[in-house]
Amino acid sequence: MTLPISIVDAFTDRPFAGNPAAVCLLDRERPEPGAAWMQTLAGEMNLSETAFLLPKGDTWSLRWFTPKAEVALCGHATLASAHVLWESGRLAPDAPALFDTLSGRLTARRAGGQDAWIELDFPERRESPHADLPELFAALGVRPVYFGKNAYDYFVEVATADEVRALEPDFAALGRLPVRGVIVTAIGDAASGFDFVSRFFAPGVGVPEDPVTGSAHCCLAPYWGEKLGKEEMVGYQASPRGGTVKVRLEGERVILAGRAVTIVTGELTNAAT
């Protein structure tokens, strides 16, 4: 048995930047231990996320796995999945990609043609203030301006974009925290053209630093939207690979927009389960 698989760099318009995701197209439903097989493959790929797609009529079932765990929401692997469906001809160029996921129905659309940005319609994930965690601040090496938490992650605002870029966290200490990850953010530099910058660390689920994190922007967008008085913004995730995410607030939804580049296409062999 063989299964199509691709590696796509998401939230970038050039190879070897942004966030790489593997996208595997399944041929059938995999009952238990199917999840264990998907988790094993994600560990073999060893990327921040591997996405698994299965056609369901006009929609696609979509699941995401880090090397260590299944996650409930992932932006860059959703963008990569939509890109693969259009690029491979499995979806018409002007058709939306409809995904059924652990976070409900998610939609991807091309905004303006084949080479345009891909827009993802995601639920917002607002944070709320949280009591200080000195052990977290020590692991990051920061003194927060603001500290909060949403359903998935801790949220840390620091004073400057340079402070975000200079972070060298203690990953072992971060990996002991009882959350998916930690978002660190600051307002953008005046001359950068970005409204805010961020980084995302999730060693507890096998991702020491995620290069570009779409789901984190479901929290970043409403947070900075309120602070800056804007509904449309441009964020930059200042990881070593780096990536740009456009965001737009629409009620309780966040529209995330990015580009994608296919790096590898091929087939899995000996992939039976």
Side-chain angles (χ1 to χ4, degrees):
M1 182 190 69
T2 62
L3 296 174
I5 192 165
S6 300
I7 297 176
V8 175
D9 287 343
F11 293 115
T12 183
D13 60 357
R14 58 188 177 88
F16 313 123
N19 200 352
V23 180
C24 179
L25 288 147
L26 301 176
D27 59 343
R28 57 185 171 83
E29 195 76 57
R30 278 170 167 74
E32 295 304 330
W37 173 81
M38 287 186 272
Q39 185 64 75
T40 299
L41 178 58
E44 180 79 7
M45 299 305 297
N46 200 32
L47 299 171
S48 56
E49 255 88 15
T50 297
F52 294 88
L53 285 168
L54 180 68
K56 297 278 190 177
D58 293 334
T59 68
W60 296 79
S61 170
L62 172 59
R63 296 174 73 173
W64 312 279
F65 289 79
T66 78
K68 288 188 176 181
E70 185 171 11
V71 296
L73 188 66
C74 178
H76 85 279
T78 304
L79 190 149
S81 296
H83 174 78
V84 166
L85 292 178
W86 285 313
E87 189 174 64
S88 68
R90 290 177 173 86
L91 275 181
D94 58 348
L98 306 177
F99 300 113
D100 289 325
T101 77
L102 290 177
S103 291
R105 173 63 59 84
L106 304 176
T107 303
R109 291 182 172 85
R110 276 176 165 161
Q114 184 171 351
D115 296 322
W117 291 60
I118 297 171
E119 291 191 340
L120 308 176
D121 184 347
F122 270 38
E124 68 176 14
R125 291 288 186 261
R126 290 179 178 264
E127 73 355 288
S128 58
H130 195 281
D132 283 355
L133 289 178
E135 63 273 25
L136 168 59
F137 306 155
L140 290 171
V142 301
R143 299 181 68 178
V145 172
Y146 169 81
F147 179 55
K149 183 179 181 296
N150 67 10
Y152 304 133
D153 309 308
Y154 289 124
F155 184 98
V156 180
E157 182 190 353
V158 297
T160 68
D162 284 343
E163 193 172 353
V164 174
R165 295 188 184 97
L167 287 172
E168 295 183 1
D170 180 340
F171 292 119
L174 292 182
R176 293 190 289 269
L177 297 170
V179 292
R180 181 187 70 161
V182 180
I183 304 165
V184 185
T185 186
I187 194 167
D189 306 288
S192 70
F194 299 113
D195 294 287
F196 58 87
V197 299
S198 65
R199 289 172 71 183
F200 184 81
F201 309 104
V205 293
V207 186
E209 178 166 8
D210 196 35
V212 193
T213 315
S215 62
H217 285 74
C218 296
C219 184
L220 289 159
Y223 180 81
W224 285 111
E226 287 189 359
K227 292 200 73 168
L228 300 176
K230 292 185 173 183
E231 293 186 348
E232 296 189 30
M233 293 162 286
V234 181
Y236 183 74
Q237 194 151 330
S239 68
R241 290 175 64 100
T244 301
V245 184
K246 293 181 180 180
V247 297
R248 184 171 74 251
L249 300 171
E250 292 189 355
E252 295 183 350
R253 309 291 293 182
V254 177
I255 308 302
L256 310 174
R259 309 285 295 272
V261 180
T262 301
I263 303 300
V264 174
T265 60
E267 292 182 331
L268 291 172
T269 58
N270 300 317
T273 179

